[in-house]
Amino acid sequence: MLNAENKRLLLDSLFTVSSEKVQDSLSVLYAAPLLTDNQHINYIQNKYAQMIVADDTGSNNILSYSSLEKKEFGVSKVSAFIKEIYLFGQFLYQLRSEIKSYTILHLFVFTSVSFMFQIIPLIILGKFYRKNVIIEFFDFQNYYLPEEGGTVVRYFLKIADAVIVPSDSQSRTLRQKKIQAVTFQKQIQIESITPRVIEGVQPKILVSAYFEDVFNINSLLKAFMLVKQKYPRAELFVAGVGSQQDSMKNIVLSKSLSGVYFKSKEETEQLYNEADIFVHSYHIEYFAHEILRAMAYGLPVIASPIGMVNKLIQKENILMYQFNDFSTLADHILLLIENNAITRKLSVKGAKFVRGYSTQNNSEDPVTFYRNFP
């Protein structure tokens, strides 16, 4: 069996890469294998809006499975496997025909399987045509993949010119492993949001969730159960997506807990207008856009002091609790129910803070990012 060093030498002998500086005629091809839903496509279009170029037919520089010709293969497992091979072959062929016109290939990773069987061939193709290659991990499902993915995964991450990850601490960790990890966050668009001034709460608690291991649903439910003992009218809205959504719903059912509602990510904006408390419940750092948006709507925020969240704290704009300390989380919710003055102060201070933060921290746009990445 090959040890780690021999594996590295073997890969080096099979695949030697080179990179070049971004050209003045900056152009980006976004490639997202496995991507078929409008929500993720909208995410790419919104985050990189300045770089999206559409032609007269409505086609643009986002290549995904949803843009490919569909072909029916029946419903058997064999047919599904054949369909995946067919789609990826079609995807690879189209990418090969288009890549020469672009200076940067920007790849999106959705699952660990997709990295091994879809992303690695695209990295090889991009480097074969001497393009700058950027890899972006789409959500929390793959938060630990760059660190725990093994020799092959780390080798190809090192080949990339930049790897976009969701947290500053993860970026620092990966850089220690010679991976060019960076964070690049979508600009915060709050101009159209009119904040409410919340003085009394029901409560209607909103949690924007990624249903993966990083989402601490057990601590959240324990806190909510304590609140329900005193205020049976309390409601909890959990809006999000993720591979463990069904199992987390089953946890709620097993506790026979009323007043918990699972909502789609598309319903989050409406819930910002209807909720009166926002709770952040994760054990890893990520750039907390949901927290900032909640503040922009005037929602009092309760959060764990993890990573970037610490930078958002000013006096009287967030209530903090340590991860897994469900008792303190419950106490904070009860405080907001019972003390209208504190609720109002958090609502007003948070809305004021986020507008100043947005002005100071929205200077980097996609064009600047692409010209300056390592």
Side-chain angles (χ1 to χ4, degrees):
M1 181 177 290
L2 292 174
N3 59 30
E5 179 62 18
N6 287 336
K7 287 180 181 177
R8 186 189 66 78
L9 292 173
L10 175 61
L11 284 168
D12 281 336
S13 67
L14 292 173
F15 182 37
T16 303
V17 303
S18 63
S19 62
E20 55 188 21
K21 297 293 183 181
V22 180
Q23 301 173 14
D24 290 337
S25 56
L26 182 65
S27 59
V28 183
L29 177 60
Y30 297 96
L34 299 184
L35 178 55
T36 58
D37 61 286
N38 289 331
Q39 177 186 334
H40 288 151
I41 293 173
N42 289 339
Y43 169 88
I44 297 172
Q45 290 176 329
N46 291 335
K47 184 172 182 179
Y48 299 101
Q50 292 168 267
M51 305 303 299
I52 305 301
V53 180
D55 60 23
D56 294 337
T57 66
S59 298
N60 58 30
N61 52 321
I62 301 175
L63 181 59
S64 68
Y65 278 13
S66 62
S67 64
L68 301 177
E69 179 185 353
K70 302 301 185 295
K71 185 175 181 179
E72 296 299 328
F73 289 92
V75 295
S76 69
K77 291 183 178 179
V78 174
S79 297
F81 179 70
I82 293 173
K83 179 180 179 180
E84 287 301 317
I85 294 176
Y86 169 79
L87 283 173
F88 184 66
Q90 196 179 16
F91 184 93
L92 200 61
Y93 178 80
Q94 187 170 340
L95 180 67
R96 180 178 175 275
S97 64
E98 294 185 17
I99 193 172
K100 297 177 184 178
S101 304
Y102 295 90
T103 58
I104 296 174
L105 177 63
H106 190 136
L107 306 173
F108 292 87
V109 181
F110 293 91
T111 69
S112 57
V113 175
S114 79
F115 187 90
M116 294 299 296
F117 295 101
Q118 277 92 22
I119 298 300
I120 287 178
L122 302 185
I123 295 172
I124 295 173
L125 186 63
K127 285 302 180 179
F128 177 79
Y129 286 102
R130 297 181 178 273
K131 306 299 179 181
N132 287 306
V133 175
I134 295 177
I135 301 170
E136 181 166 353
F137 287 86
F138 191 81
D139 57 30
F140 288 126
Q141 187 174 355
N142 295 293
Y143 188 89
Y144 297 108
L145 179 62
E147 299 172 47
E148 302 176 355
T151 303
V152 174
V153 169
R154 285 193 294 272
Y155 179 85
F156 281 96
L157 289 175
K158 290 177 182 179
I159 286 172
D161 296 279
V163 178
I164 299 176
V165 295
S167 77
D168 292 333
S169 62
Q170 191 183 34
S171 175
R172 290 191 294 271
T173 299
L174 294 181
R175 281 180 172 272
Q176 292 173 358
K177 299 178 180 181
K178 310 301 181 184
I179 295 171
Q180 293 299 318
V182 297
T183 56
F184 173 68
Q185 306 302 331
K186 181 175 64 176
Q187 294 185 349
I188 308 162
Q189 303 296 331
I190 62 171
E191 293 78 9
S192 62
I193 299 174
T194 301
R196 292 176 291 152
V197 177
I198 297 176
E199 299 181 82
V201 302
Q202 178 180 334
K204 296 180 73 170
I205 305 162
L206 172 60
V207 179
S208 181
Y210 288 88
F211 297 111
E212 307 297 343
D213 290 335
V214 298
F215 179 56
N216 192 2
I217 191 168
N218 286 307
S219 182
L220 177 66
L221 292 178
K222 288 177 182 178
F224 185 64
M225 291 171 71
L226 292 176
V227 173
K228 290 280 283 187
Q229 289 176 9
K230 192 170 184 180
Y231 295 96
R233 67 178 186 267
E235 295 179 313
L236 175 63
F237 296 88
V238 186
V241 295
S243 64
Q244 298 184 25
Q245 183 171 3
D246 289 340
S247 63
M248 291 184 181
K249 286 182 180 180
N250 290 333
I251 292 174
V252 175
L253 291 174
S254 69
K255 296 179 182 297
S256 300
L257 188 58
S258 63
V260 180
Y261 306 96
F262 285 84
K263 300 291 185 177
S264 68
K265 200 70 176 176
E266 291 83 359
E267 295 174 277
T268 306
E269 290 301 315
Q270 177 184 346
L271 291 170
Y272 278 127
N273 280 313
E274 297 176 359
D276 46 36
I277 296 174
F278 183 88
V279 173
H280 170 279
S281 184
Y282 295 94
H283 71 265
I284 62 172
E285 171 201 0
Y286 76 112
F287 191 90
H289 279 104
E290 287 87 355
I291 291 178
L292 293 170
R293 290 191 70 78
M295 286 183 178
Y297 278 94
L299 293 179
V301 172
I302 305 172
S304 304
I306 301 171
M308 189 66 195
V309 178
N310 277 324
K311 299 180 182 179
L312 305 180
I313 301 170
Q314 289 187 343
K315 188 177 181 181
E316 300 167 333
N317 75 332
I318 300 181
L319 293 177
M320 308 303 297
Y321 74 102
Q322 296 298 324
F323 179 76
N324 276 336
D325 185 2
F326 63 90
S327 179
T328 298
L329 174 56
D331 288 342
H332 284 336
I333 295 172
L334 292 171
L335 176 66
L336 294 176
I337 297 172
E338 298 168 354
N339 193 318
N340 290 350
I342 290 179
T343 302
R344 177 185 173 87
K345 186 177 292 184
L346 284 169
S347 175
V348 173
K349 293 270 189 180
K352 182 178 180 181
F353 167 81
V354 76
R355 272 155 177 76
Y357 184 91
S358 176
T359 300
Q360 296 168 16
N361 291 275
N362 268 354
S363 57
E364 187 174 42
D365 58 28
V367 175
T368 303
F369 167 73
Y370 285 122
R371 294 198 183 282
N372 294 333
F373 73 79

